[in-house]
Amino acid sequence: DGEPRNERRITVIGAGLAGAVLATLLANRGWQVDVYEKRGDPRVAGYAGGRSINLALAERGRHALRLAGGDDAVMAQAVMMRGRMVHFADGRTDLQRYGRDDSEVIWSVHRGELNVILLDIAERAGARLHFDRALESVDFAARRASFRNPASDEVETVDFCSLVGADGAGSSLRAAMARETDLGERTEYLGHSYKELEIPPAQDGDFRIEPNALHIWPRGRYMCIALPNDEHTFTVTLFLPNEGEPSFASVRTGADARALFERDFGDALPLIPRLEHDFEHNPTGLLATLYLERWHLRDRAVLLGDAAHAMVPFHGQGMNCAFEDCVALADHLDRESDREAAFARFQAERLPNARAIQQMALENYLEMRDRVDDDDYLLQRALERQLADRHPDRFVPRYTMVSFRRVPYAVALERGNAQRELLVELTRGHASLDTLDWNRVDAVVRERLEPLAADL
Ligand code: FAD
């Protein structure tokens, strides 16, 4: 039955964001790590000429990067985002801070540059990276995996001890595992898709709009967002339903996109000179949530990151959650020499938390596109800030728990629900905070919310 199970040797599928971080964490602890990646080495082929796509990095992700020794290099190219810059339909703008000060912010990082940094640290830690190797089939009984080189079409078969699937939402390892056992897989499509557009630098080379914010143009059933890049551009993402008006069914050409922007995103339109070109040439991305009941196949294979729990991008947590998975899996593997038990513990710890952030990500779409400009919401947010100041140990806003702390996602979801009920209840019938009875408010908070451990 193949190799001894407790050998500190592992084969990772995918050298994307999670694959590279996991490889680094394990190689740093003396594991022998081989990573197989479908694409070529981006450090050789280069991302040059490609589009800039960025991601919001938050505390969970930074924590994992610190453990892997990559935080300084990543932060050197990150752009701070203090809050949401809301662009109202009438052209007014308003910065809604995410946290209390600049210690509570998120960071925009360039996906391509991030991947290059992570590959460098993985290699430096001793992981062996094999590029141009797409996982094609797995013989789990014999512990042999076959990889195809997409360029030469040659197939190479290697022995493994266990496989880790860090091969993203369309995971080939997941498909291979599903041929052996029922993973309880279910994909829920959101019914909305996205298109990326670009705001180039201004004539003088500077940013065209406020760089230290995540810009949002909320328009009810749809929205645009823009995140800054260190090269002074912004990546704009237009989210629209797939059907109805407007939708990707009704907005089909560059001219349709211009008409939509003229009507709904007037202040963004002059910032995107290649709107028609970007709209027609960039692919339309589908959005879905992937749920699995099982993440591992005995001691042979385990999934993490998007391969296990792809989510919609509205909380900016997919990568952050994937990095948190890497830390958890490395810890369980290191602590527990029985591989199957380690995988089972990893799944027991992470699956409920993945479910919770998947749900919060879905909820955040509604909040971003429809609520950030609504009066009730703004009053509740104002009270939330007051309560967070008055009871910092008890009332921690959900966004703060998710983005600036490492409270397990499931705890953040549960406490967030209790807090939201409280905000709705306390502001009911009030048009401003001036008419609240603060003695009662404070008593209710103390009665309903237990203190949250300071180290979470
Ligand atoms: P991936 O990054 O997808 O990496 C998978 C790797 O596996 C790739 O390198 C791929 O080439 C390789 N691979 C695939 N198939 C094979 C195969 N058969 N054999 C070998 N290798 C293979 N997250 C955030 O935290 N913040 C954000 O702001 C954010 N914004 C997002 C915006 C959008 C529009 C989208 C779609 C996602 C966003 N995410 C964000 C989510 C984030 O991109 C993912 O959660 C993250 O990339 C998951 O990392 P991963 O390593 O699991 O998968």
Side-chain angles (χ1 to χ4, degrees):
D1 191 30
E3 323 246 341
R5 286 178 192 190
N6 59 358
E7 199 183 331
R8 287 158 62 88
R9 179 161 98 82
I10 202 127
T11 302
V12 179
I13 312 301
L17 303 180
V21 167
L22 179 71
T24 308
L25 292 171
L26 287 175
N28 275 337
R29 296 178 190 193
W31 283 60
Q32 182 189 320
V33 186
D34 283 279
V35 189
Y36 289 85
E37 165 59 46
K38 172 169 79 174
R39 294 178 299 187
D41 187 342
R43 298 165 301 176
V44 177
Y47 280 85
R51 289 186 290 134
S52 283
I53 298 180
N54 45 31
L55 297 152
L57 174 68
E59 177 54 26
R60 290 165 206 271
R62 288 195 62 192
H63 177 73
L65 291 174
R66 279 182 213 114
L67 294 177
D71 188 55
D72 290 344
V74 172
M75 292 306 287
Q77 56 98 357
V79 183
M80 181 198 280
M81 297 188 290
R82 294 194 166 96
R84 297 169 173 154
M85 182 69 83
V86 180
H87 295 247
F88 298 95
D90 63 8
R92 268 183 314 124
T93 58
D94 179 32
L95 179 71
Q96 299 177 357
R97 257 196 182 274
Y98 286 129
R100 35 172 123 238
D101 54 38
D102 282 359
S103 68
E104 294 184 336
V105 298
I106 54 175
W107 302 87
S108 179
V109 295
H110 188 282
R111 187 190 281 270
E113 288 174 19
L114 174 64
N115 203 191
V116 163
I117 293 169
L118 298 179
L119 294 174
D120 281 340
I121 61 169
E123 217 160 45
R124 233 179 293 136
R128 292 189 299 214
L129 309 180
H130 310 268
F131 293 97
D132 298 304
R133 298 283 183 282
L135 179 71
E136 188 156 88
S137 63
V138 186
D139 181 339
F140 290 101
R143 300 184 194 259
R144 292 175 71 77
S146 297
F147 298 90
R148 183 177 296 276
N149 182 329
S152 68
D153 228 30
E154 276 166 48
V155 175
E156 179 190 349
T157 300
V158 305
D159 293 330
F160 65 83
C161 193
S162 309
L163 299 176
V164 179
D167 51 347
S171 171
S172 302
L173 179 57
R174 189 177 71 234
M177 290 162 69
R179 284 191 279 275
E180 300 279 312
T181 189
D182 179 7
L183 299 174
E185 179 170 342
R186 185 164 54 88
T187 299
E188 271 178 23
Y189 290 93
L190 181 65
H192 293 232
S193 300
Y194 68 94
K195 183 80 88 174
E196 282 148 347
L197 312 165
E198 192 191 72
I199 299 177
Q203 299 253 291
D204 63 2
D206 206 354
F207 285 103
R208 288 204 183 197
I209 48 177
E210 167 60 46
N212 295 119
L214 188 156
H215 294 261
I216 308 188
W217 290 259
R219 295 299 180 262
R221 291 181 61 244
Y222 51 100
M223 68 174 184
C224 260
I225 65 169
L227 275 71
N229 291 305
D230 61 341
E231 76 248 21
H232 298 181
T233 61
F234 288 83
T235 306
V236 178
T237 312
L238 168 67
F239 295 93
L240 284 180
N242 296 337
E243 303 290 336
E245 170 46 47
S247 70
F248 281 109
S250 71
V251 182
R252 303 181 71 96
T253 65
D256 296 340
R258 174 166 293 273
L260 173 73
F261 272 74
E262 275 169 357
R263 192 187 73 191
D264 287 331
F265 305 110
D267 64 330
L269 182 60
L271 306 172
I272 313 172
R274 282 158 62 87
L275 176 70
E276 282 88 346
H277 174 274
D278 289 353
F279 191 87
E280 289 182 1
H281 289 82
N282 295 343
T284 305
L286 278 179
L287 297 169
T289 307
L290 167 76
Y291 303 97
L292 301 183
E293 301 294 335
R294 276 167 291 284
W295 289 2
H296 75 102
L297 176 68
R298 305 190 302 276
D299 62 340
R300 304 302 155 92
V302 68
L303 302 169
L304 53 61
D306 277 15
H309 52 65
M311 65 190 74
V312 295
F314 305 109
H315 220 307
Q317 284 288 318
M319 163 188 64
N320 288 283
C321 177
F323 286 174
E324 208 170 47
D325 288 350
C326 295
V327 173
L329 182 60
D331 284 346
H332 286 294
L333 282 172
D334 226 29
R335 253 186 256 136
E336 172 59 78
S337 60
D338 177 341
R339 201 54 71 80
E340 180 164 5
F343 289 170
R345 285 184 190 168
F346 165 71
Q347 175 186 315
E349 178 188 335
R350 294 301 296 166
L351 194 144
N353 287 307
R355 289 279 163 94
I357 186 59
Q358 288 179 312
Q359 183 182 331
M360 292 189 280
L362 284 163
E363 290 172 7
N364 229 39
Y365 188 29
L366 195 69
E367 174 163 333
M368 288 170 86
R369 68 181 210 234
D370 202 31
R371 298 213 60 210
V372 286
D373 55 353
D374 160 314
D375 288 340
D376 284 355
Y377 171 81
L378 294 174
L379 186 63
Q380 289 166 23
R381 282 262 311 177
L383 177 58
E384 179 174 74
R385 275 194 301 274
Q386 290 280 330
L387 295 185
D389 281 346
R390 295 170 86 93
H391 305 275
D393 55 334
R394 287 175 200 268
F395 198 109
V396 183
R398 183 168 105 175
Y399 190 89
T400 300
M401 288 190 278
V402 169
S403 301
F404 311 132
R405 306 274 290 260
R406 290 186 292 115
V407 180
Y409 288 123
V411 175
L413 175 64
E414 196 189 341
R415 290 186 70 104
N417 286 341
Q419 291 176 171
R420 180 169 342 126
E421 276 168 30
L422 220 132
L423 293 175
V424 170
E425 207 177 297
L426 294 172
T427 53
R428 191 172 292 135
H430 293 269
S432 101
L433 300 184
D434 301 341
T435 48
L436 293 185
D437 171 355
W438 289 100
N439 286 331
R440 178 173 161 259
V441 167
D442 291 338
V444 172
V445 170
R446 277 194 287 266
E447 181 191 305
R448 300 251 203 105
L449 298 175
E450 290 297 316
L452 181 66
D455 58 344
L456 285 182

